Amino acid sequence: MSAAFGGCYDPTGATHGIPTYPWRLAPDGLATRRQLRARGLRPGGQPVAAQVMRRSRRRKAGVLVGYLYRIDQALPVRPMTPGRIAALAAAMRARRTCPTCQTDAGYCIPTSLGECVTCAYATDQHVA
């Protein structure tokens, strides 16, 4: 068994406190939040059942961890209500509206500019 595999394989949870498996080697019946969402499910308040780990050069700690939840205890995703749909539409409209010219830019305004590209680079506009 390789050192990388051995550090991540702890099905009893003696080392890490919860059962730990190497990346892509979790047992059936467990899924991440994204995998649950793809099935139309959510964790529904259940505690983390296990975790998967892998080495990562990008992370400061050196490992990437994904939490696993039991599929049989997962609940269906809550449907979107008309109020939530309206709130989401209003939030997206606010992100697209330029505070300078008060027009809908048609895209989300970059936070680095704080206004639409036309207003941010108004002096660079040349008419040929």
Side-chain angles (χ1 to χ4, degrees), residues 31-100:
T32 63
R33 283 181 179 266
R34 285 189 180 190
Q35 291 169 337
L36 288 175
R37 186 65 181 205
R39 294 179 181 209
L41 301 171
R42 61 185 169 96
Q46 66 174 300
V48 174
Q51 65 184 357
V52 289
M53 295 177 82
R54 75 170 184 181
R55 290 178 24 201
S56 174
R57 294 183 204 161
R58 293 183 181 186
R59 300 268 178 185
K60 199 176 213 178
V63 288
L64 183 67
V65 177
Y67 296 115
L68 300 171
Y69 301 91
R70 292 182 46 167
I71 295 172
D72 59 346
Q73 292 181 356
L75 300 175
V77 175
R78 294 185 199 129
M80 287 288 282
T81 63
R84 290 175 71 191
I85 292 171
L88 184 58
M92 292 305 294
R93 189 170 40 258
R95 289 183 66 192
R96 289 192 316 263
T97 304
C98 176
T100 306

